[in-house]
Amino acid sequence: MAMKETGSIRVLLTEEQIQERIRQLGKQITRDYEGKTLLMVGILKGSCMFLCDLAKRVELDVRMDFMSVSSYGSQMTTSGKVQIKKDLENNIKGKDVLIIEDIIDSGMTMSKLLPLLREREPASLRVCTFLDKPSRRQVPLQADYTGFAVEDAFIVGYGLDYDEKYRQLPYVACLEG
Ligand code: IMP
Ligand code: MG
């Protein structure tokens, strides 16, 4: 697909690499939640592609819900709170909840969101992130499932955007120049 570019983009993860890893994650999640109903909670909008492809590889009774929270570029600090822009439709009390995130960068979003969801008393609460930038962490946070660890670069594609662009790319790239 031709796209008008100012800088260039360098592919970091191909569509094949992504889909292969998602197959593995799907198997792992299927094993870990055997016999349970799994509520997959996608954090909009970045996790949309990952959630859809991952859900197809999870052989369980899967339910889906979505949340939108303030993220990159907001004035969030270690003392601040995450702002919920769109809340869940489901009551998660007693449910097995797996949060699906696009990328964990500073860790701030997740470290604020997790306690907030824990207050709602889910049976279990875990995090599955497509990408992880461990070198950027400002607060200690470890996802339960991680697709890929990536370098400290600005990542786009497969749901991740730069100014709302590039989300539809089937691969992951980093922006250069
Ligand atoms: P954190 O709170 O710093 O961990 O940031 C998490 C959010 O910032 C992610 O859910 C993304 O929406 C956004 N983000 C962080 N790094 C990138 C990136 O490299 N590309 C696109 N979005 C990013
Ligand atoms: Mg996000």
Side-chain angles (χ1 to χ4, degrees):
M1 178 174 40
M3 292 183 81
K4 274 187 194 145
E5 299 295 349
T6 41
S8 60
I9 65 174
R10 174 165 59 94
V11 176
L12 292 180
L13 299 166
T14 65
E15 188 171 2
E16 290 70 29
Q17 286 174 305
I18 293 169
Q19 295 305 325
E20 176 51 33
R21 182 70 186 117
I22 287 176
R23 246 174 250 124
Q24 295 169 353
L25 284 172
K27 277 190 191 149
Q28 200 183 337
I29 291 166
T30 301
R31 274 198 308 271
D32 293 354
Y33 289 89
E34 198 192 335
K36 293 182 173 159
T37 295
L38 181 64
L39 178 61
M40 297 175 78
V41 168
I43 308 300
L44 296 171
K45 306 174 214 168
S47 72
C48 59
M49 300 265 181
F50 181 49
L51 173 85
C52 292
D53 284 344
L54 180 60
K56 287 182 245 177
R57 305 295 171 193
V58 173
E59 294 174 37
L60 296 167
D61 177 8
V62 166
R63 314 293 168 91
M64 295 180 195
D65 205 342
F66 299 90
M67 262 186 121
S68 176
V69 298
S70 61
S71 61
Y72 219 69
S74 65
Q75 264 90 60
M76 203 171 16
T77 61
T78 38
S79 59
K81 279 185 180 170
V82 68
Q83 189 205 340
I84 297 180
K85 293 192 277 188
K86 180 214 175 293
D87 207 340
L88 298 171
E89 286 176 6
N90 288 258
N91 178 353
I92 59 170
K93 187 166 182 171
K95 309 236 170 98
D96 289 295
V97 176
L98 183 59
I99 300 178
I100 311 295
E101 179 59 304
D102 54 355
I103 186 165
I104 298 179
D105 186 53
S106 68
M108 218 72 92
T109 309
M110 270 308 124
S111 74
K112 304 293 176 196
L113 184 60
L114 286 171
L116 216 141
L117 292 178
R118 246 180 236 120
E119 277 177 18
R120 302 182 186 183
E121 301 176 26
S124 69
L125 182 63
R126 288 187 186 161
V127 177
C128 176
T129 188
F130 174 52
L131 301 176
D132 186 14
K133 276 193 222 168
S135 63
R136 293 259 309 163
R137 211 66 102 245
Q138 287 178 34
V139 286
L141 192 109
Q142 172 98 53
D144 301 280
Y145 305 93
T146 300
F148 301 91
V150 289
E151 59 193 91
D152 179 10
F154 199 82
I155 313 288
V156 296
Y158 200 68
L160 291 100
D161 73 306
Y162 172 66
D163 205 12
E164 295 299 324
K165 272 180 69 178
Y166 306 109
R167 288 195 200 275
Q168 90 279 24
L169 300 180
Y171 52 86
V172 163
C174 75
L175 289 182
E176 293 177 329

